[in-house]
Amino acid sequence: MSWTHGLVGAPYRDGGRGPKAFDCWGIVRQVFADQLGVDLPGYGDISADDLRRVAREMARGRDSWPWAPVEVPQEFDVAVMARPGGRVPVHVGVCTGTGTLLHTERATGAVLVPLDSPLIRFRLLGFRRYDP
């Protein structure tokens, strides 16, 4: 999981696409580019708030190619999440393969959180694997 070291602690910035500050989609894009050589769409300069539709489509599973739904997450799978107490997809993060999730939010910046943490597990709506 050494690939997370350069990202943990990076500040959150709405619309942040790196390399020093990220929003949730920005950090997913950075991980996919650096670790998998995959250039995910950047959706221009729209904000993380406007990227909710990306998370919604991933959670619905409709027309979501190349994002295949998976039950048991592995390294580099994307977690789709709701706001605390919600059921509408609004947030994404990257699974590390060790039972933790790398994600970033205003309140925390980029952090690693166990998938079974009460702060995360009730927000999880599903996982998607990039399968071009």
Side-chain angles (χ1 to χ4, degrees):
M1 195 171 57
S2 62
W3 57 266
T4 63
H5 293 295
L7 297 169
V8 171
Y12 175 89
R13 184 172 51 110
D14 191 25
R17 296 296 183 263
K20 296 185 187 214
F22 302 93
D23 63 13
C24 64
W25 185 248
I27 207 160
V28 169
R29 287 190 74 232
Q30 190 72 50
V31 168
F32 272 65
D34 292 349
Q35 303 305 314
L36 304 175
V38 173
D39 185 22
L40 294 175
Y43 301 103
D45 293 323
I46 63 175
S47 72
D49 292 334
D50 292 333
L51 286 170
R52 288 183 187 142
R53 70 179 164 78
V54 174
R56 284 187 191 115
E57 287 305 312
M58 290 174 72
R60 284 184 194 131
R62 288 190 344 219
D63 302 321
S64 61
W65 180 86
W67 298 100
V70 293
E71 294 295 320
V72 179
Q74 297 176 5
E75 187 173 36
F76 306 119
D77 286 347
V78 173
V80 178
M81 294 176 276
R83 292 189 198 284
R87 296 306 308 157
V88 176
V90 296
H91 185 58
V92 291
V94 181
C95 296
T96 66
T98 62
T100 59
L101 176 74
L102 174 68
H103 76 117
T104 186
E105 294 182 295
R106 282 183 179 95
T108 62
V111 294
L112 287 173
V113 181
L115 287 170
D116 62 358
S117 164
L119 299 173
I120 294 295
R121 75 171 177 245
F122 296 114
R123 296 177 62 188
L124 288 171
L125 300 175
F127 301 96
R128 295 286 183 262
R129 183 166 299 144
Y130 185 76
D131 188 16

